[in-house]
Amino acid sequence: MSTGMTPTPGTLRVGFEKAMRETYERLTTGSSALDAPFRTMKDVFMLAACRGYQLGERRALDAKETPIHWEVFSSDRDVPILKAIAISATGDVAVLSRLDEVVAIAEEYANVGIRDIKSLLLDQYGQPLWSLVNMIRDDDANF
Amino acid sequence: MKLNRLTVHNFRQFCGQQRLTFSSSRECNVTVVHGANGAGKTSLFTAINWCLYGAGTESMGSLINKEAVIQAASGATIQASVELTFTHEGEQFVATRTISADKRRDALLVDGSPEFSLMRIAVSGQAEKVNGPMGVLNAILSPKVRTYFFFDGEKIDNFAKPDASGEVRGAVHNVLRLERLERGRYHLGEAAATLRREWKKTATSDVTHLLDEEIAKREEVTKIEGRQDELKGEIASTRRHLDDIANSLRELEASRHLQGTLDLLQRQLEGVRHDREELVGQIRNDATGGYVALVGDAIAKATSLIDEKRSRGEVPSGIREQLLHDLLDRLVCICARPFQKGDAVYHHLEDMLTVAVPRTLEDDVLNTHAALRQAPTQATELRARLNGAIRRKVQLDEQYDAINAEASDVRRQFRVSDQDEIQGLGRSQERYEADWQDYQVQLGMNKNKIETLTREIEDVVKRRKKAEAAQEQNRLMGRKIELAQSAADALQQVYLVYAEDMRQRIEAKAQGILDSLVWKENQFTRLSLDADYKLEVYDRWGQPARADFSAGERQVLSLAFIMAMAKVSEREAPLVMDTPFGRLSSGHRENITATVPEMADQLVLFVTDEELRERSLANLRPRIGVEYQLAFDDLTGCTTIEEVG
């Protein structure tokens, strides 16, 4: 969780478990949009964090790597969503002053979400892009 | 080390303070202390050992002079001490060891452990305490070797005993400091062994194997890329054939119309494919950003929490941003003038929203709240777009299938035409279409293979570089092991050569000393100290004779060995002997006393009158610098040190 130190956005990095690197790569590497629909690992991470929140489960990370720079998260879309997840998880708006905790919460949700995404997109018959679309369209209840 | 002065205070037989000064001149380097049995010779010998090393006595209580104890009042504290002044390499030192005891009615209670101090006397005469005195003493004359320089005549024949090779070896090693070489060799050997164990743990880097793997994969990529070029050529050629066939069918009267239909259908197919590609791109963009649609719950909770805090006044209203949002929502300016979405006023108010730089939590909360307000709308719009796109995709798929089916039907009509030429062209067309499709599939599969191989090559290159780094580390480790082992081996060689040299020199010196003792000169012709450190003497028939030695003969042999060792070691240390000649015949004594002053820079002898008589004393006389007599008083049980002459 929070280290108690507030890192500057310039130094902050976001990560995932080393064991899940292959999943991140499979979803982002390749010329076919149908097989590797995501352009960046950041997009995979955002989906994983949101999916983990949706499933209501968090899991602390083992053997972490942190390849994603904080700056690639858009300030008008990605960052507010991560902050909303953090506020909702802690019930406390003051968590916004602890950016490292916001990131840690997102990483823990993503650690669960990515496993679900792998199962739905990569381990099923069918092309990952269509499985992704189904995943998002199936979730009518959320809004 | 050269002994200067010994001062004893209430030490054993010596009541009060008693002092003796050692002779240390080059010519007169012998100090003789005469005393009858029990007079205190051994006590003085013990005093030197006890002062420097705390050795030579088991019972602390027995060190304190009995007369001093008797004279002391009950409850008083009695002290016994020994002070030894000596010189070493031009510096003067004073070593003092003191023991205290309390006199009780029935017993003497020793008060703790003896206290020891070592002082260095500066040129000015001032004394300063030496830090780490045991380390300094160890360097001057280590406890390990003291028994070879301060030796007890009772034990003097130990080296000549049949099973004494271990002791002889130990003596040679300690006195000649060979153990340092041994230690050095041992530590270097251990270092090499430790490095070797570490070396084995590191993974064997198979750089060659990885390089081969990398080369093989790259070659495969090149091969596939070559095949891709061929396929593209085939596809182009097939395309040309199909175009030729289409042209031919256009030219023929019977097939012109049908070919025209086919041309139209193919253009439509092309159009549908293009639309589908664009649609897939749009779907991709929406789907990969569709995570906003998954967290409606979180957004609602977060905005609700923030609203709650604002309504309780816990978060400042952020009038500026909120006001701007309100104005933009209502499309009414602050002056109550209406404006349109997208007009200049609208854009101006929007620009003002982006100017603010949040610096406080309140700002962050409000900005987050403001951004999250858009989320539900964005999510709804996204879903609507996705749903629409999927419906459109389904339509396009159906359209594609329908057009394709129609085109297939036209081609079938060509194949079954009653005109041979058209039939032939139709069949060729079908073959070329099939070939074209095959080539496209192969092209796609090869593209995948190339992508996979490229990733595999990246991985192999990473592993190869890691292996190369490990190999370099291994090489350096191997070099370190080599160096450590070479140094250990070299030190071993130095040790062997040096030890052998020392052994030969001691053997030669001891032989010389024995010869000078003119001792059974016709009976025992040769002394040897062999490689196993066995001290032996051979008779005139070349047979080992030591086993037949008397106690006195063993004493002579041991003395010869000790004196040879002391001389060869070139150590600056005195020879202090306590009753060394007790068991020797007068002949031996005379010979030894003629030789022994040469064996060390300083010689101190504690002797009984019987040990040094007439000719023996006469031999020593020219070299005696100072002489003492220990006078024992039967009444008090105390001894007084009296200088003679």
Side-chain angles (χ1 to χ4, degrees):
Chain A
M1 288 290 268
S2 169
T3 60
M5 294 164 43
T6 306
T8 60
T11 61
L12 192 57
R13 293 170 79 109
V14 179
F16 43 78
E17 281 188 357
K18 281 183 184 170
M20 301 317 298
R21 171 164 267 272
E22 198 195 323
T23 302
Y24 274 83
E25 283 182 349
R26 277 179 69 187
L27 290 168
T28 52
T29 311
S31 54
S32 165
L34 300 174
D35 294 325
F38 294 88
R39 287 193 173 83
T40 66
M41 285 194 180
K42 182 270 292 181
D43 290 335
V44 179
F45 178 84
M46 285 302 300
L47 180 70
C50 295
R51 182 63 177 175
Y53 178 84
Q54 195 183 41
L55 294 171
E57 263 187 73
R58 282 159 74 176
R59 193 161 113 168
L61 276 68
D62 278 331
K64 179 177 154 181
E65 57 176 281
T66 51
I68 309 173
H69 290 262
W70 180 249
E71 288 97 335
V72 306
F73 290 84
S74 61
S75 56
D76 58 343
R77 198 169 132 85
D78 299 330
V79 173
I81 288 174
L82 294 180
K83 287 181 175 177
I85 290 174
I87 293 171
S88 176
T90 58
D92 179 13
V93 300
V95 73
L96 297 188
S97 61
R98 302 187 295 272
L99 198 55
D100 56 337
E101 192 176 338
V102 170
V103 167
I105 291 168
E107 284 174 342
E108 288 178 5
Y109 277 123
N111 201 23
V112 169
I114 190 64
R115 283 162 166 85
D116 192 63
I117 287 163
K118 176 180 183 290
S119 167
L120 287 174
L121 269 54
L122 298 177
D123 297 342
Q124 310 267 9
Y125 178 78
Q127 287 165 314
L129 177 61
W130 306 128
S131 303
L132 173 63
V133 168
N134 290 338
M135 188 176 96
I136 291 168
R137 289 175 75 213
D138 282 349
D139 191 59
D140 267 319
N142 222 291
F143 276 106
Chain B
M1 174 192 265
K2 260 199 188 153
L3 306 179
N4 300 143
R5 192 169 57 246
L6 179 70
T7 308
V8 295
H9 178 80
N10 287 340
F11 187 83
R12 286 212 170 150
Q13 295 98 326
F14 302 93
C15 187
Q17 187 167 287
Q18 307 263 350
R19 179 174 289 154
L20 65 85
T21 303
F22 300 99
S23 178
S24 55
S25 78
R26 203 181 288 272
E27 286 307 311
C28 299
N29 63 334
V30 181
T31 303
V32 180
V33 180
H34 302 272
N37 289 336
K41 299 185 302 300
T42 302
S43 294
L44 288 176
F45 178 78
T46 301
I48 296 171
N49 281 287
W50 184 74
C51 179
L52 290 176
Y53 304 108
T57 178
E58 298 280 329
S59 162
M60 290 296 134
S62 66
L63 292 178
I64 302 176
N65 178 259
K66 289 186 173 70
E67 182 62 20
V69 172
I70 289 165
Q71 285 179 14
S74 182
T77 300
I78 309 135
Q79 273 193 343
S81 68
V82 176
E83 182 187 277
L84 182 68
T85 308
F86 62 90
T87 311
H88 183 73
E89 289 179 354
E91 285 193 298
Q92 194 176 42
F93 296 88
V94 180
T96 311
R97 197 175 292 266
T98 309
I99 190 156
S100 303
D102 295 327
K103 183 175 173 180
R104 297 278 189 256
R105 192 176 306 175
D106 302 325
L108 192 67
L109 287 178
V110 175
D111 184 19
S113 304
E115 282 176 24
F116 176 76
S117 72
L118 184 67
M119 308 289 279
R120 184 186 276 109
I121 311 293
V123 170
S124 63
Q126 276 194 321
E128 56 190 30
K129 196 163 181 180
V130 171
N131 288 327
M134 298 324 296
V136 171
L137 269 179
N138 204 43
I140 294 173
L141 194 70
S142 152
K144 276 188 195 172
V145 302
R146 69 173 177 90
T147 52
Y148 311 121
F149 293 92
F150 305 159
F151 58 84
D152 180 350
E154 299 294 313
K155 297 173 189 164
I156 210 167
D157 66 341
N158 280 355
F159 294 118
K161 284 184 179 160
D163 55 352
S165 57
E167 211 169 322
V168 170
R169 185 183 185 282
V172 172
H173 272 65
N174 288 329
V175 171
L176 284 106
R177 295 189 175 108
L178 288 176
E179 86 278 8
R180 290 185 187 182
L181 285 172
E182 272 189 320
R183 255 204 322 272
R185 181 186 56 82
Y186 172 76
H187 286 306
L188 282 167
E190 276 300 292
T194 304
L195 283 170
R196 228 174 259 117
R197 282 192 292 272
E198 288 302 314
W199 198 40
K200 272 190 186 160
K201 274 190 212 168
T202 58
T204 326
S205 60
D206 200 351
V207 171
T208 315
H209 168 70
L210 288 168
L211 199 53
D212 287 343
E213 198 182 325
E214 184 187 334
I215 290 169
K217 285 187 194 295
R218 287 192 194 277
E219 281 174 355
E220 208 182 328
V221 166
T222 306
K223 202 166 116 190
I224 297 173
E225 281 172 346
R227 182 71 192 123
Q228 294 291 76
D229 289 339
E230 281 170 15
L231 281 168
K232 283 171 189 168
E234 299 284 350
I235 287 168
S237 162
T238 308
R239 189 80 261 148
R240 278 194 300 276
H241 285 302
L242 286 167
D243 288 345
D244 289 342
I245 292 169
N247 285 334
S248 302
L249 287 169
R250 272 183 219 114
E251 279 164 15
L252 289 170
E253 182 68 41
S255 57
R256 185 178 298 139
H257 174 72
L258 216 48
Q259 182 59 41
T261 306
L262 188 60
D263 290 341
L264 179 66
L265 288 169
Q266 279 169 339
R267 280 196 297 275
Q268 284 174 350
L269 271 176
E270 199 54 46
V272 170
R273 263 192 230 115
H274 179 261
D275 288 347
R276 226 169 46 163
E277 242 178 72
E278 267 192 10
L279 188 65
V280 166
Q282 182 200 321
I283 291 171
R284 180 197 200 181
N285 290 342
D286 280 334
T288 55
Y291 44 80
V292 65
L294 304 183
V295 286
D297 180 43
I299 291 166
K301 253 189 181 170
T303 47
S304 167
L305 268 166
I306 294 169
D307 284 336
E308 204 184 296
K309 285 198 173 288
R310 284 174 67 191
S311 69
R312 286 205 298 263
E314 289 173 30
V315 175
S317 61
I319 291 171
R320 186 170 177 278
E321 283 79 10
Q322 195 57 47
L323 178 62
L324 287 168
H325 277 297
D326 289 344
L327 292 176
L328 285 165
D329 285 346
R330 295 203 311 264
L331 297 173
V332 172
C333 185
I334 197 160
C335 59
R337 195 161 48 107
F339 58 89
Q340 303 291 327
K341 194 168 184 178
D343 70 8
V345 175
Y346 187 89
H347 285 304
H348 177 65
L349 289 174
E350 264 194 328
D351 287 342
M352 285 172 71
L353 268 176
T354 60
V355 165
V357 176
R359 284 188 297 273
T360 65
L361 175 60
E362 288 82 2
D363 282 338
D364 203 355
V365 166
L366 292 172
N367 290 331
T368 301
H369 185 266
L372 290 176
R373 276 157 54 119
Q374 317 299 325
T377 311
Q378 286 170 354
T380 308
E381 285 171 359
L382 183 137
R383 272 183 203 280
R385 280 199 306 275
L386 266 180
N387 288 336
I390 295 302
R391 278 194 296 276
R392 178 84 183 112
K393 181 183 171 296
V394 168
Q395 278 170 6
L396 286 172
D397 287 345
E398 284 169 357
Q399 210 176 341
Y400 188 89
D401 289 342
I403 297 168
N404 213 22
E406 224 182 304
S408 292
D409 190 53
V410 168
R411 287 194 197 94
R412 186 190 60 77
Q413 286 181 59
F414 286 141
R415 285 197 308 278
V416 302
S417 167
D418 48 9
Q419 290 204 28
D420 288 341
E421 199 181 346
I422 292 172
Q423 204 184 95
L425 285 169
R427 290 206 173 137
S428 295
Q429 193 182 58
E430 186 188 40
R431 267 198 320 275
Y432 284 121
E433 291 280 358
D435 286 345
W436 187 88
Q437 208 163 52
D438 278 344
Y439 297 144
Q440 292 290 358
V441 166
Q442 279 180 51
L443 208 65
M445 283 173 57
N446 287 346
K447 191 175 170 203
N448 270 355
K449 269 191 205 164
I450 290 171
E451 282 173 2
T452 304
L453 280 167
T454 305
R455 281 197 296 277
E456 286 174 3
I457 287 168
E458 275 173 18
D459 177 61
V460 167
V461 167
K462 259 191 218 168
R463 286 189 287 138
R464 176 175 56 78
K465 285 186 176 169
K466 211 171 157 183
E468 279 170 349
Q471 195 175 56
E472 177 60 17
Q473 219 177 8
N474 256 13
R475 192 189 65 80
L476 286 171
M477 181 91 85
R479 184 83 188 107
K480 278 187 199 173
I481 292 169
E482 224 179 273
L483 279 169
Q485 193 60 55
S486 301
D489 292 343
L491 212 51
Q492 170 70 354
Q493 285 308 305
V494 168
Y495 166 81
L496 287 173
V497 168
Y498 183 70
E500 177 57 18
D501 182 49
M502 289 297 110
R503 186 195 63 75
Q504 287 177 9
R505 286 171 64 185
I506 293 170
E507 185 185 67
K509 196 75 196 170
Q511 177 78 70
I513 293 169
L514 269 184
D515 290 344
S516 70
L517 296 179
V518 195
W519 171 56
K520 279 193 178 174
E521 59 195 342
N522 293 326
Q523 295 303 313
F524 303 115
T525 56
R526 189 167 68 88
L527 176 148
S528 91
L529 176 64
D530 70 10
D532 294 324
Y533 293 98
K534 205 173 91 177
L535 203 51
E536 188 57 81
V537 174
Y538 294 88
D539 61 22
R540 58 183 171 153
W541 296 283
Q543 297 299 310
R546 192 191 50 178
D548 303 323
F549 275 14
S550 66
E553 285 169 333
R554 283 206 299 273
Q555 206 170 30
V556 169
L557 181 57
S558 293
L559 258 176
F561 169 71
I562 288 168
M563 290 194 289
M565 208 169 50
K567 198 71 188 165
V568 167
S569 76
E570 295 177 1
R571 276 187 183 250
E572 192 194 310
L575 273 180
V576 180
M577 303 184 180
D578 182 22
T579 41
F581 313 127
R583 282 181 277 179
L584 300 181
S585 64
S586 57
H588 284 145
R589 279 184 218 152
E590 283 161 24
N591 289 334
I592 285 170
T593 50
T595 311
V596 77
E598 302 301 325
M599 295 299 112
D601 291 337
Q602 188 180 41
L603 179 64
V604 179
L605 298 172
F606 295 95
V607 293
T608 61
D609 289 333
E610 286 71 30
E611 277 183 275
L612 273 190
R613 265 200 266 181
E614 295 163 359
R615 200 142 157 229
S616 303
L617 194 54
N619 282 343
L620 280 176
R621 180 63 62 203
R623 303 297 297 267
I624 295 176
V626 65
E627 213 171 335
Y628 293 93
Q629 182 69 46
L630 300 181
F632 182 73
D633 185 348
D634 275 330
L635 214 61
T636 61
C638 292
T639 299
T640 310
I641 303 173
E642 293 170 355
E643 190 170 344
V644 173

